Amino acid sequence: MAKLALIGTIGVAPGRRDQFLSSLLAHKTRCLKDEPGTLQMEVLAPREDDTTMLLYEVYRDDGAFDVDRCGPSFAQWREETAEMIVKFSATRYTPVE
């Protein structure tokens, strides 16, 4: 199966960026440690906008993404950030190698 890349845009409530970022980075650490199918997870913070975060994630395949999405780390992250996220969108890509 082909690798899956995901680019996500997250709108963060004003004044919550640092708290949100702390939770997101903890989630990243857990995923890369505990989910062998999670190959890469990069967090990008626009320099001029403290209410938006971008994610770039790469998974071994669609099944590995399902493991992440249905796993305990994602559930914990969603619970921790529920009041901080005002908008979330993601697009799936196939990396061209």
Side-chain angles (χ1 to χ4, degrees):
M1 289 189 145
K3 288 182 182 175
L4 168 68
L6 200 79
I7 297 177
T9 303
I10 304 171
V12 180
R16 305 294 296 270
R17 179 179 173 168
D18 289 344
Q19 184 181 10
F20 176 82
L21 189 54
S22 176
S23 180
L24 182 57
L25 292 175
H27 171 62
K28 172 185 172 178
T29 298
R30 291 189 302 267
C31 290
L32 292 172
K33 177 181 172 270
D34 299 334
E35 299 171 3
T38 301
L39 304 177
Q40 183 177 357
M41 188 178 290
E42 303 298 333
V43 178
L44 304 168
R47 293 180 177 185
E48 309 269 334
D49 180 1
D50 66 354
T51 63
T52 301
M53 299 298 294
L54 300 176
L55 295 174
Y56 174 72
E57 304 173 29
V58 179
Y59 298 90
R60 181 182 57 234
D61 53 29
D62 286 29
F65 173 65
D66 290 339
V67 167
D68 173 68
R69 188 176 47 135
C70 298
S73 182
F74 188 78
Q76 178 182 342
W77 176 73
R78 292 293 287 186
E79 183 177 322
E80 290 172 356
T81 61
E83 300 296 318
M84 297 179 227
I85 296 175
V86 296
K87 185 178 180 184
F88 184 91
S89 65
T91 303
R92 295 178 185 209
Y93 297 88
T94 299
V96 178
E97 300 179 299

